[in-house]
């Protein structure tokens, strides 16, 4: 008889859905969205709707593998876990004794957002004294931009947006990256709200918007300055709010704003003056203006500054504290867990070398640019840098090094796993225990295993314990079962700043969703050193925020890399339904296509200093002339081994946070023959 149990979607998505898993005889029959979860509300996205196809995919790795062919060839032979771990331990030890432990680089990101398995190997690599990884691939610039203005002030919860009368989706593709927020958008619209989308091209999300504002890539800060200038000029600034709650606004207004006339803002952002004027008027006079901020505007060499300037808008309008108003960049629900239980900062070797994951290509291919030893061993879990990291060719050249030992713990034989010496099979989230926290709403949940591990798969934590043993480590932490570790994370919520009540901790322990409650008055209790919103921030390298253009490299076209609703970074490429066709599509304006002799459905080759990649052209006026866009990150094995979008992206970093600049590149385009 089938039975239904609860689990959690582990993927790196703001929604963090609660799943109802129907199982029978150790197999998942189907999954559905939990109707009782405050944000999932009973439905799932395209990707997870058939999660059973991921869990029981014929492509799942069944056993550990050892390489038998050249690196990247994908030729392997199965070995036992004992052999795989013994060889890995021996190779790691050889690197440590020959070159020093910093020659070992652990590389991981958010393949799973379960906090035990996300950080699973961290304590072990810290004890070994390995290099530290700078986890910068996602949106550190967005976080830094927000922090510069708002400090640790919590983001406005998504539910507020339903009560907004002017809802701005800024650099966000909800239809791809966070479909559950669509409920709030629709509810706000039903109550008469106006919805505005600000993006560099008309994404499918534009269908949800009343007004679409197209900006030039990386120019949102200039648009925000134009809006602020206009608000100031028309007497639309919330003077009493600013006087009470904003630090340094007068100086900002006096020294920065005067230059940002409508003409200047329009020149920089490409937004017509009249539209900037309209936005200023509509935003400032709305009762409850709400901004849902995405990451798009932050993925540039001026990304943090763009975010910082946009974040000044709710301050200037006095939106904070008004019902239905505010700004949602990212909810830090994970602060409810004591993550030091897994991350073990106390194990960290003082002064250990840190390697920025956005610079993986450089770190592997040019050891001379590293302080300290070359990277001789790479241990990857929950990430697929061969496809998802910037500057793919540099990463692949590095991974192809015969003198580099590489071990990859994965659910599938990804592009990265193909370059491994040893591949370890990983469980999916439905096969292991973990805790989760939403970053698009305030909610926690534990996902207990719904089915046993498939094949010989092991969770990151279980494999880490075995590797620790193979390395002769005897620390008590490696004696802890996954369940014991997860229980401790659950219990830690009682002592965090969120102070979960005993009955909430109990609900969490059992696997039920637990919403977090923001304290009364949180929206005007600004968690900054001055207790005010910081229009000026003396602790920033640039105290006064001001826009500057992003460096992008050469090329006739701006190239924007946007999310696809069918994948999540390169995850979900295992599902034929999602990734077998319509991959590597280049959206291009019909006039540009014509000028290049390209037609709809034809093949185009994009190239720049980093490399080249082939696409199928889709001509559409949804993109402006001079810009091309491609949605999704695809396995090269889905592209006949050809390069993916990241062959075009660069290792250039953001202004703050040393983050990735996936959309901050340009390309030349010609027909592919
Ligand atoms: N289906 C799906 N879901 C996902 C992901 C996915 O790949 N696919 N990725 C997950 C991850 S890891 C993350 S971090 C989040 C990201 O979620 P989002 O923040 O929504 O996604 P971004 O990739 O930052 O891109 C959002 C939009 O920004 C636009 N954009 C690009 N440049 C600019 C600009 O200069 N200004 C403005 N205003 N807009 C710009 C892009 O065209 C795109 O439509 O989503 C998560 N969810
Ligand atoms: N061109 C371009 N590239 C991008 C982006 C973009 O917008 N454009 N977005 C970037 C962003 S925002 C991010 S966050 C990064 C993400 O980059 P990555 O973190 O590398 O993400 P994925 O490519 O999805 O790879 C995650 C892998 O983790 C594996 N996995 C899942 N669960 C588990 C588990 O429990 N254990 C183990 N061992 N493995 C597991 C999955 O099978 C999958 O192959 O990609 C970035 N790459
Ligand atoms: Mo991300």
């Amino acid at each position: 008889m089938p039975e239904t149990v609860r689990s959690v979607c582990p993927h790196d998505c703001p929604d963090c859905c609660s799943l109802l898993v129907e199982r029978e005889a150790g197999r998942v029959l189907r999954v559905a969205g939990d109707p009782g979860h405050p944000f999932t509300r009973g439905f799932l996205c395209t990707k997870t709707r058939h999660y059973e196809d991921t869990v029981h995919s014929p492509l799942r790795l069944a056993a550990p593998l050892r390489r038998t062919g050249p690196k990247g060839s994908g030729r392997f032979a199965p070995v036992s876990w004992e052999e795989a771990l013994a060889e890995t331990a021996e190779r790691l030890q050889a690197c440590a004794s020959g070159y020093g432990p910093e020659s070992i680089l652990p590389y991981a990101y958010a393949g799973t957002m379960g906090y035990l398995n996300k950080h699973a190997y961290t304590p072990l690599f810290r004890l070994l004294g390995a290099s530290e990884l700078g986890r910068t691939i996602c949106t550190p610039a967005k976080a830094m931009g927000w922090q510069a203005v708002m400090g640790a002030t919590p983001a406005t919860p998504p539910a507020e947006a339903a009560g907004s009368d002017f809802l701005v989706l800024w650099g966000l593709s909800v239809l791809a990256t966070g479909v559950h927020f669509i409920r709030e958008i629709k509810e706000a619209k039903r109550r008469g709200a106006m919805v505005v989308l600000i993006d560099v091209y008309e994404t499918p999300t534009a269908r949800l918007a009343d007004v679409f504002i197209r900006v030039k890539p990386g120019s949102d800060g200039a648009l925000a300055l134009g809006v602020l200038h206009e608000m100031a000029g028309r007497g639309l600034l919330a003077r009493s709010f600013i006087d009470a709650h904003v630090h340094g606004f007068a100086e900002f207004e006096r020294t920065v704003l005067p230059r940002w006339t409508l003409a200047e803002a329009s020149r920089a952002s490409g937004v017509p003056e009249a539209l900037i004027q309209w936005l200023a008027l509509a935003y400032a006079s709305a009762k409850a203006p709400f901004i849902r901020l995405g990451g798009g505007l932050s993925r540039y060499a001026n990304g943090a500054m763009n975010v910082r300037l946009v974040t000044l808008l709710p301050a200037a309008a006095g939106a904070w504290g008004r019902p239905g108003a505010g700004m949602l960049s990212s909810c830090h629900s994970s602060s409810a867990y004591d993550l030091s239980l897994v991350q073990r900062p106390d194990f960290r070797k003082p002064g250990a070398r840190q390697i920025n994951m956005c610079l993986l290509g450089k770190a592997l291919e040019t050891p001379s640019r590293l302080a300290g030893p070359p990277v001789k061993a790479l241990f990857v879990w929950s990430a697929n840098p061969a496809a998802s990291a910037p500057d793919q060719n540099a990463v692949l050249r590095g991974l192809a090094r015969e003198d580099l030992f590489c071990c990859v713990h994965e659910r599938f034989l990804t592009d990265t796993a193909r370059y491994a010496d040893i591949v370890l099979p990983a469980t999916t989230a439905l096969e292991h225990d973990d805790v989760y926290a939403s970053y698009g709403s305030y909610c926690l949940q534990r996902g207990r295993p719904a089915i046993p591990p498939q094949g010989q798969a092991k969770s990151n934590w279980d494999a880490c314990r075995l590797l620790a043993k193979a390395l002769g480590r005897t620390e008590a932490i490696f004696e802890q079962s996954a369940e014991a570790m997860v229980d401790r994370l659950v219990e830690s919520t009682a002592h965090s700043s969120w102070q979960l009540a005993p009955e909430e901790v109990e609900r969490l322990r059992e696997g039920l969703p637990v919403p977090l409650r923001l304290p009364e008055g949180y929206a005007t209790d600004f968690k900054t050193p001055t207790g005010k919103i910081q229009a000026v921030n003396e602790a920033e390298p640039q105290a006064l925020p001001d826009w500057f253009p992003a460096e992008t490299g050469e090329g006739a076209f701006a190239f924007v890399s946007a999310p696809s609703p069918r994948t999540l970074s390169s995850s979900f490429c295992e599902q034929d339904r999602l990734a077998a066709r319509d991959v590597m599509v280049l959206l291009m304006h019909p006039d540009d296509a014509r000028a290049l002799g390209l037609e709809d459905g034809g093949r185009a080759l994009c190239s720049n200093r980093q490399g080249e990649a082939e696409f199928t052209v889709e001509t559409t006026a949804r993109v402006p002339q001079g810009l091309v866009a491609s949605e999704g990150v695809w396995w090269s094995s889905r592209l006949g081994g050809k390069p993916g979008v990241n062959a075009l992206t660069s290792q250039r970093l953001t202004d703050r946070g040393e983050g990735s600049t996936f959309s901050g590149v340009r390309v030349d385009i010609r027909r592919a023959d």
Side-chain angles (χ1 to χ4, degrees), residues 323-669:
M327 182 158 165
L328 167 48
S329 174
S330 193
C331 302
H332 293 286
S333 307
S334 63
S335 59
Y337 301 118
D338 179 1
L339 296 181
S340 73
L341 293 168
V342 209
Q343 293 172 333
R344 294 308 293 259
D346 53 321
F347 288 176
R348 192 177 170 148
K349 187 172 116 191
R353 167 175 78 182
Q354 192 179 73
I355 293 181
N356 180 335
M357 68 193 297
C358 295
L359 304 179
L360 179 67
K362 285 183 182 163
L364 293 181
E365 98 172 311
T366 15
S368 56
R369 67 174 295 287
L370 295 172
V375 175
K376 299 294 273 185
L378 180 70
F379 191 101
V380 182
W381 75 97
S382 302
N384 183 16
S388 295
D391 200 352
Q392 184 177 41
N393 292 313
V395 172
L396 294 182
R397 283 192 297 269
L399 290 175
R401 265 174 48 199
E402 277 295 335
D403 69 319
L404 176 76
F405 171 72
C406 178
C407 177
V408 177
H409 191 183
E410 248 301 343
R411 306 179 306 166
F412 300 101
L413 197 64
T414 56
D415 296 347
T416 311
R418 282 173 185 275
Y419 281 85
D421 295 282
I422 296 284
V423 182
L424 304 173
T427 42
T428 69
L430 301 195
E431 296 148 56
H432 58 238
D433 203 344
D434 218 325
V435 279
Y436 302 86
S438 167
Y439 64 89
S441 74
Y442 291 99
C443 201
L444 308 180
Q445 196 174 352
R446 176 190 198 153
R448 289 181 181 274
I451 54 167
Q454 301 294 291
Q456 296 180 39
K458 289 187 192 300
S459 73
N460 298 349
W461 180 249
D462 287 344
C464 165
R465 290 176 63 200
L466 292 173
L467 180 59
K469 198 162 276 168
L471 284 160
R473 307 301 311 196
T474 54
E475 286 79 5
I477 184 171
F478 303 119
E479 299 301 320
Q480 302 277 311
S481 68
E483 193 180 17
M485 289 293 287
V486 174
D487 279 339
R488 291 183 67 194
L489 286 165
V490 165
E491 282 150 22
S492 72
T493 57
H495 316 294
S496 72
S497 59
W498 294 95
Q499 296 193 340
L500 265 66
E503 59 278 11
E504 290 173 312
V505 178
E506 205 38 50
R507 279 175 62 86
L508 187 60
R509 190 193 318 279
E510 285 168 19
L512 293 161
V514 176
L516 296 172
R517 288 160 285 108
L518 284 160
E520 199 79 23
Y522 75 91
T524 48
D525 180 13
F526 302 110
K527 303 287 187 204
T528 61
T530 52
K532 293 183 172 193
I533 296 172
Q534 317 220 78
V536 174
N537 185 335
E538 289 82 0
E540 285 287 308
Q542 189 179 328
L544 272 165
D546 197 356
W547 186 79
F548 54 89
E551 230 181 273
T552 52
E554 304 291 308
F557 290 83
F559 179 87
V560 169
S561 172
S564 161
R566 292 181 286 136
T567 54
L568 193 149
S569 301
S570 78
S571 296
F572 294 96
C573 278
E574 67 278 2
Q575 288 196 30
D576 284 342
R577 181 178 62 91
L578 301 171
R581 58 193 164 74
D582 303 332
V583 298
M584 295 290 279
V585 172
L586 191 71
L587 304 176
M588 182 186 267
H589 193 278
D591 295 345
D592 283 341
R594 202 168 308 123
L596 291 166
L598 285 160
E599 59 281 340
D600 196 62
R603 302 285 291 166
L605 192 76
C606 292
S607 61
N608 61 20
R609 261 183 81 161
Q610 286 76 250
E612 48 184 48
E614 229 180 280
F615 297 84
T616 304
V617 174
E618 182 183 326
T619 56
T620 169
R622 293 194 291 120
V623 295
Q625 279 185 267
L627 180 148
V628 288
S630 184
E631 296 170 358
V633 174
W634 312 93
W635 286 354
S636 283
S637 55
R638 287 282 189 192
L639 313 172
K642 288 186 174 169
V645 275
N646 280 317
L648 300 167
T649 59
S650 86
Q651 296 180 67
R652 187 178 292 112
L653 299 178
T654 51
D655 45 345
R656 298 279 286 136
E658 303 195 316
S660 55
T661 57
F662 287 106
S663 285
V665 286
R666 300 185 67 83
V667 295
D668 290 310
I669 304 179

Side-chain angles (χ1 to χ4, degrees), residues 263-338:
E264 191 56 24
S266 173
R267 194 193 52 75
S269 67
V271 181
E273 290 185 31
L275 195 51
I276 302 178
Q277 213 163 20
W278 172 82
L279 181 61
L281 200 69
Y283 182 79
S285 52
K287 269 207 196 68
F290 189 107
I291 297 174
R292 176 70 176 94
L293 192 72
L297 66 162
S298 77
R299 302 187 195 280
Y300 294 87
N302 61 357
M305 187 55 80
N306 284 323
V307 171
R308 201 172 157 191
L309 289 163
V310 172
T311 306
L312 288 177
L313 292 176
W320 292 103
R322 276 151 51 186
M327 182 158 165
L328 167 48
S329 174
S330 193
C331 302
H332 293 286
S333 307
S334 63
S335 59
Y337 301 118
D338 179 1

Side-chain angles (χ1 to χ4, degrees), residues 5 15 61 65 72 111 148 166 243 255 275 329 369-370 470 524 597 621:
V5 293
D15 297 4
L61 290 164
L65 302 172
F166 194 79
D243 292 346
T255 57
L275 195 51
S329 174
R369 67 174 295 287
L370 295 172
T524 48

Side-chain angles (χ1 to χ4, degrees), residues 12-14 47 109 138-139 142 170-174 176-178 198-201 203 215-220 293-300 306 439 560-569 632 663:
D12 185 359
C13 165
K47 307 180 295 301
Y109 203 65
C138 188
T139 44
K142 184 182 170 194
W170 202 314
L172 174 83
S173 187
V174 275
T177 62
I198 304 179
D199 204 305
V200 292
Y201 76 100
T203 63
V215 288
K216 289 187 196 169
S219 72
D220 302 78
L293 192 72
L297 66 162
S298 77
R299 302 187 195 280
Y300 294 87
N306 284 323
Y439 64 89
V560 169
S561 172
S564 161
R566 292 181 286 136
T567 54
L568 193 149
S569 301
S663 285

